[in-house]
Amino acid sequence: MSDIRLGFDLTIEQSQKLVMTPELIQAIQILQFSTQELDAFVQEQLLVNPVLEQDQERETPESAAVTNGGEGEKLDWKEFIRNGSYDDISYKGYRDRDEERPDAFERYVTNEVTLPEHLMFQYQFATVDKGCRRVGKYIIESLDENGYMTSSVEEIAKATGVREEKVCEALDIIHGFDPAGVGARNLAECLRLQLEAKNALTPQMDEIIRKHLEDIANNRLAAVAKDTGMTVLEVQEAADVIRTLEPKPGRQFASEMETKYVIPDVIVEKVDDEYVVMINESSTPRLTVSSYYRSLLGKADKDQQLADYLSERVSSANWLIKSIEQRKHTIFNVVSAVVKYQKDFFDNGSKYLKTLTLKDIAEELGIHESTVSRSINGKYLQCPRGVFEIKYFFSAGVSDDVGEGVSSNSIKEFIKEIVEGEDKHKPYSDQTMVEILKDKGFNISRRTVAKYRDELGILSSSKRKRY
């Protein structure tokens, strides 16, 4: 039996590990923020750090740089304020020439009318008694965002303390309002109301809507024709009319929820034969250190507590400004690499989008894939072809006949083009589209074609067929 020795040994080991300081965590968060999230974060920091100030007026050179000595060098806040170093740290927003004009009304967003407002405007002119008016107001306010009733007649009668006949009376009035179909209790009633408004609700149309909406949706026209005694062509013509109707009449009006607008983080413009990448400065907060704190220098020299407080606040403000500046540089570098790689897209359109991964750009720039991911998260690019989420340019794909990667988005464009050019009486099956794509140099399976077709919202060949 061997002896077992118990004891303690003292050893020295050298290892490397990444320490996530609060400042580093903040820099990572700032890079990942979308424009709206960054703005919200900056507004929060303006509240908690009195040294920070948002510069709305002063313009500074676009290539302002922020330095703070070495990584471990402590910021001399007194020298920082005395020299006005913060004057070099701000962000020049893009100013449209129209902003110089006091009458640039295009800069203002109109207050869009909501569905309840639109209906109440009409209801005030309706000839109804006081009780019916109160019930009508209740119905209008209870409609969902698509214009449908969310409560039954019985529930409304109970809530308003009136007879069900009075609720039906108010509802009939609302059914005559614009947009046609509003106040319906289901899809069939919504479609019938719209046809009634057009004096186009024939007995055949009424029967199709009541009994065969699912068949129409699945293009089972022969089954509908057999059940109704109509010809297939007559059913198809009726289906065409039904498809022109609005299934959600309320969605054309402004939502009462907050409307969020896409602000492009990057603008790409074509100059001669090259594409120039520019950071949209108006999407980036412009921050400085408040000049008010210059006046505290005299007191701070004699008050160590105040000096320590100002030093901490100024260091925090300086780090935030540096992080925002670094965010701009990283986004600029990533998008520049993307534009260079996807030049065929910018020249010729979506069909020429190449397959691109985070790893490709990370290796090109010598940064980590997670950095690329954070820099494109929730960010948008504006170019002559429109506004795109930067993620749009990253996608897997297939190889063409010369071995080059072709983006899945590019394949989708080809599928869309094939369907648009097909004979509607004999639409292409998924397998036929596989063969067509193969002739174009793309080897792709039928299952993949079906997947891309579904993602494009294109129906199967049996549902696309016209008679």
Side-chain angles (χ1 to χ4, degrees), residues 329-364:
H329 291 324
T330 303
I331 294 173
F332 174 83
N333 291 336
V334 169
V335 173
S336 295
V338 170
V339 171
K340 178 182 176 183
Y341 192 87
Q342 299 286 15
K343 188 174 185 296
D344 287 345
F345 163 84
F346 293 98
D347 284 337
N348 304 305
S350 299
K351 289 192 294 185
Y352 297 87
L353 202 62
K354 296 179 181 177
T355 178
L356 180 63
T357 65
L358 298 176
K359 185 178 180 181
D360 295 331
I361 298 300
E363 291 178 349
E364 172 77 17

Side-chain angles (χ1 to χ4, degrees), residues 297-308:
L297 279 174
K299 295 180 182 180
D301 287 336
K302 302 173 185 178
D303 187 336
Q304 188 59 43
Q305 187 175 1
L306 178 60
D308 291 343

Side-chain angles (χ1 to χ4, degrees), residues 117-283:
E117 290 172 342
H118 181 66
L119 296 176
M120 285 305 300
F121 176 77
Q122 297 174 76
Y123 203 68
Q124 67 180 324
F125 298 107
T127 306
V128 294
D129 57 44
K130 186 176 180 181
C132 192
R133 188 172 300 280
R134 180 168 57 86
V135 175
K137 184 174 184 294
Y138 183 92
I139 294 173
I140 288 172
E141 291 176 346
S142 67
L143 298 179
D144 67 16
E145 61 183 8
N146 293 319
Y148 284 85
M149 277 184 63
T150 56
S151 303
S152 67
V153 170
E154 183 181 358
E155 290 170 336
I156 295 173
K158 186 176 180 180
T160 56
V162 300
R163 301 190 316 276
E164 292 184 17
E165 292 78 5
K166 183 65 71 174
V167 176
C168 292
E169 181 184 341
L171 188 57
D172 286 341
I173 294 171
I174 293 171
H175 282 167
F177 288 171
D178 174 76
V182 73
R185 283 157 281 198
N186 50 57
L187 177 60
E189 184 177 29
C190 178
L191 300 179
R192 290 178 70 257
L193 289 170
Q194 293 179 59
L195 290 173
E196 284 180 350
K198 297 179 178 181
N199 292 319
L201 185 62
T202 63
Q204 292 85 354
M205 277 286 199
D206 186 54
E207 183 179 5
I208 290 174
I209 289 174
R210 283 189 295 104
K211 297 181 179 180
H212 299 289
L213 276 183
E214 187 175 343
D215 289 327
I216 293 296
N218 290 290
N219 209 38
R220 295 194 290 260
L221 306 187
V224 178
K226 182 178 179 180
D227 187 65
T228 60
M230 301 168 65
T231 66
V232 173
L233 188 58
E234 288 173 335
V235 174
Q236 182 173 273
E237 290 173 351
D240 289 342
V241 173
I242 291 173
R243 290 191 178 103
T244 65
L245 305 177
E246 173 56 75
K248 299 178 180 179
R251 65 179 170 184
Q252 61 183 289
F253 292 87
S255 171
E256 293 182 319
M257 301 292 287
E258 179 184 359
T259 302
K260 294 184 178 180
Y261 298 92
V262 170
I263 301 175
D265 300 85
V266 183
I267 298 173
V268 177
E269 292 184 357
K270 189 171 186 179
V271 179
D272 296 329
D273 195 38
E274 296 296 324
Y275 290 96
V276 179
V277 177
M278 298 171 289
I279 293 293
N280 182 8
E281 298 288 352
S282 65
S283 69

